[in-house]
Amino acid sequence: MFVQQLEPVAGSLILSALVAALPLLTVLVLLGGLRMKAHWAGLAGLAVAVAVALLAYRMPFGQTVSSGVQGALFGLFPILWIVVNALWVYRMTVLTHHFDILRRSFGRLADDPRIQALVIGFCFGALLEALAGFGAPVAICAVMLVALGFDPARAAVVALVANTAPVAFGAMGTPVVTLAQITGLPLDSVASVVGRQTPLLALVVPLLLVIIVDGRRGLRETWLPALVCGLAFAVAQFTASNFLSVQLADIVAALAGAAALMAVPAARRPAAEPVRATVLTGVRSADLDQQDPRREVVRAYAPYALIVAVFSVAQIPPVKSLLARATRVFDWPFLHVAGPDGTPVSGNDFSLPLIATGGTLVLFAGVLSAVVLGVGAGPALREWGATVHELRYAVLTVTSVLALAYVMNLSGQAATIGHFVAAAGAGLAFLSPVLGWFGVAVSGSDTSSNALFGALQVSAAHESGLPPDLLAAANSSGGVLGKMISPQNLTIACAAVGLKGREGDLLRKVLPWSLGLLLVMCVIVVLQSTAVLSWMLP
């Protein structure tokens, strides 16, 4: 049995925390300072984490390797299993041109460019985030807005700022699933708290989008549709994440937001010519005027409806129990770790949900979608293989970062840093979202940030007397606000709209929005840690 130590370096908590932070510093410096590719930075950080575990924490070599392998396996299944299958469904809609039909359908929903920004940037962007994540919503929504006639820079800013509220539940709940696994907290508990933080962002972001599109005039003339859209999204995200399904949170929220927006009469009125002249300064795509058969429009929406249906059926108690029977829980080989108090840690066991996991359910929905879209078995398999190839660097990044996180957590490095950070006391509640924001700003991924800092947040919470669920959730909720300024997302946005090399200009446009919303989230978390808003927590 390997027993974790909190002060292995010269019996000093400060020195031990500095040494324990070396893997994180390695990743952050290589990514943020030297602009190294994420997969190489992750592998370098993993190497440093292994060295610190072996040399400073005296973790046996076999247990160190075993902990890293367990983290890598969790990165592959269920995390990347979800992402691959979700992106595969999207690729099939592109293959059959049903995605173009969907784009034209959205373009016809509203004539006002300010409403189009809400429908595409906020609602459809959230739907894409729910299914794929990893930069896809920013690229796709920015291109769609440019096709409607938006200026490329404005389209990119709208797509980046809109990609906030849904990120914590993106890719079928991948960030919160990772957070729960890393911290050892129940998934329902963590998701519940995140679902009481990010919906508050959803109330604000649509209002910001109409300001970005058309300034004060946009807010004055379209505040009601924007507010209704944000409110419906927030209520649906809260309800789904707390009472329905973590994986369905963003899908339900996106559909509810779009439906509520279109129900407002003001959202369906044609925009005045002065508005169109000052906002739509780009080139409008000619195919927007093409009329699509109603049958094909229904088929274009079918994959998303099927995903909702499959996940909804999976939540029916008898079905849920039946699917859970395929879950395998076993002792992880060559791993026998106890915390500083001598209690065995949860990492000694490994749970493998073969069917009752988001990726497998998306795969079922994808097979049904292939039938509805008319994609044969051969083309569907080729698209799945192409999806894996497209995500090959993301696979390496996610597995290396999660292996790093597991080595740090099981060797005791995260606990040491958590004890050190706990010295911030009450100020920890304010700093917690900032740490998540910084992690996503550097890595470009809320999943990676949760893997890196989730256990640290929980350790610090235990030492400071704050609710562990609150600080863990704050890491993810604060992290979503760093995505719009991450080099990865800025590069994706610029490439999508033809502004390659102007990432700096785009950063200057979105940074004030990122910092302003981060301050709002910090205040929310501080108030939730006190009697003022503690009633919001489950």
Side-chain angles (χ1 to χ4, degrees):
M1 180 71 74
F2 168 70
V3 180
Q4 297 173 348
Q5 302 177 61
L6 292 177
E7 302 175 356
V9 181
S12 168
L13 181 61
I14 295 177
L15 291 177
S16 299
L18 289 174
V19 172
L22 288 177
L24 298 177
L25 292 174
T26 299
V27 173
L28 298 179
V29 170
L30 292 179
L31 278 175
L34 301 182
R35 299 292 179 88
M36 183 179 285
K37 296 292 185 182
H39 55 281
W40 291 119
L43 290 172
L46 173 59
V48 175
V50 168
V52 171
L54 293 173
L55 301 176
Y57 283 78
R58 300 291 190 270
M59 190 179 195
F61 178 78
Q63 299 213 45
T64 303
V65 172
S66 182
S67 61
V69 171
Q70 184 182 149
L73 179 59
F74 178 71
L76 290 172
F77 190 95
I79 300 304
L80 288 164
W81 181 238
I82 297 172
V83 176
V84 167
N85 289 324
L87 195 56
W88 171 58
V89 174
Y90 161 71
R91 286 180 64 97
M92 285 194 294
T93 66
V94 174
L95 176 69
T96 59
H97 302 290
H98 284 92
F99 181 77
D100 292 328
I101 296 173
L102 195 67
R103 175 172 58 85
R104 288 191 288 269
S105 175
F106 285 149
R108 287 190 289 268
L109 284 177
D111 177 69
D112 191 323
R114 299 164 299 191
I115 304 301
Q116 290 172 342
L118 295 176
V119 172
I120 295 174
F122 188 69
C123 298
F124 187 58
L127 189 60
L128 291 173
E129 182 67 37
L131 297 179
F134 290 87
V138 170
I140 295 169
C141 291
V143 168
M144 291 176 72
L145 290 171
V146 169
L148 291 172
F150 277 69
D151 170 74
R154 184 175 294 173
V157 172
V158 167
L160 286 166
V161 175
N163 191 222
T164 50
V167 168
F169 296 103
M172 310 307 293
T174 295
V176 290
V177 169
T178 302
L179 184 62
Q181 180 71 19
I182 289 294
T183 59
L185 298 172
L187 174 59
D188 291 343
S189 176
V190 173
S192 179
V193 179
V194 175
R196 296 161 194 248
Q197 293 173 342
T198 55
L200 299 177
L201 294 176
L203 295 174
V204 179
V205 171
L207 297 171
L208 297 183
L209 293 180
V210 297
I211 293 175
I212 292 170
V213 172
D214 195 29
R216 284 181 291 181
R217 178 180 61 180
L219 182 62
R220 184 175 63 252
E221 296 180 0
T222 57
W223 68 269
L224 180 59
L227 187 61
V228 169
C229 176
L231 181 61
F233 186 102
V235 171
Q237 191 183 59
F238 162 75
T239 303
S241 61
N242 278 265
F243 308 110
L244 180 59
S245 166
V246 172
Q247 290 85 358
L248 285 179
D250 278 348
I251 295 179
V252 173
L255 297 177
L261 177 62
M262 290 298 97
V264 179
R268 299 194 301 273
R269 295 188 194 123
E273 280 306 314
V275 173
R276 298 184 62 80
T278 55
V279 174
L280 299 181
T281 56
V283 180
R284 186 175 183 272
S285 177
D287 75 335
L288 289 175
D289 298 323
Q290 178 180 331
Q291 294 296 320
D292 299 300
R294 183 181 296 274
R295 178 172 178 269
E296 295 305 313
V297 174
V298 171
R299 291 174 71 189
Y301 282 91
Y304 311 104
L306 286 169
I307 289 175
V308 173
V310 168
F311 274 86
S312 298
V313 170
Q315 297 306 310
I316 299 173
V319 177
K320 190 173 184 178
S321 300
L322 181 64
L323 298 179
R325 291 180 185 177
T327 299
R328 297 290 178 264
V329 180
F330 54 89
D331 292 333
W332 186 257
F334 310 113
L335 196 62
H336 309 283
V337 180
D341 59 356
T343 304
V345 300
S346 60
N348 295 324
D349 299 322
F350 190 77
S351 177
L352 196 63
L354 298 175
I355 300 179
T357 184
T360 303
L361 295 178
V362 174
L363 179 64
F364 289 159
V367 172
L368 295 175
S369 298
V371 174
V372 172
L373 296 175
V375 181
L381 288 173
R382 284 194 294 273
E383 284 301 314
W384 196 90
T387 303
V388 174
H389 183 265
E390 180 183 337
L391 292 172
R392 62 192 183 281
Y393 293 120
V395 169
L396 191 54
T397 300
V398 171
T399 52
S400 62
V401 167
L402 280 161
L404 178 157
Y406 269 62
V407 171
M408 289 190 65
N409 295 345
L410 292 172
S411 66
Q413 297 172 53
T416 297
I417 300 173
H419 277 68
F420 178 74
V421 172
L428 185 60
F430 185 88
L431 295 175
S432 186
V434 177
L435 187 60
W437 173 86
F438 181 71
V440 176
V442 173
S443 69
S445 166
D446 200 37
T447 299
S448 296
S449 179
N450 287 344
L452 291 173
F453 300 129
L456 187 157
Q457 299 267 22
V458 170
S459 294
H462 283 304
E463 289 303 306
S464 63
L466 292 170
D469 291 352
L470 175 63
L471 294 199
N475 192 87
S476 192
S477 299
V480 306
L481 303 170
K483 196 162 187 180
M484 70 178 81
I485 64 168
S486 70
Q488 173 183 313
N489 260 26
L490 290 171
T491 301
I492 289 172
C494 285
V497 299
L499 296 177
K500 191 174 182 180
R502 291 182 56 186
E503 288 84 358
D505 296 338
L506 206 55
L507 174 62
R508 285 189 287 274
K509 292 178 182 293
V510 298
L511 183 59
W513 301 114
S514 178
L515 292 175
L517 290 171
L518 175 62
L519 179 60
V520 171
M521 182 54 64
C522 289
V523 172
I524 290 171
V525 174
V526 169
L527 294 178
Q528 287 180 333
S529 70
T530 67
V532 178
L533 290 182
S534 61
W535 53 268
M536 289 183 63
L537 302 179

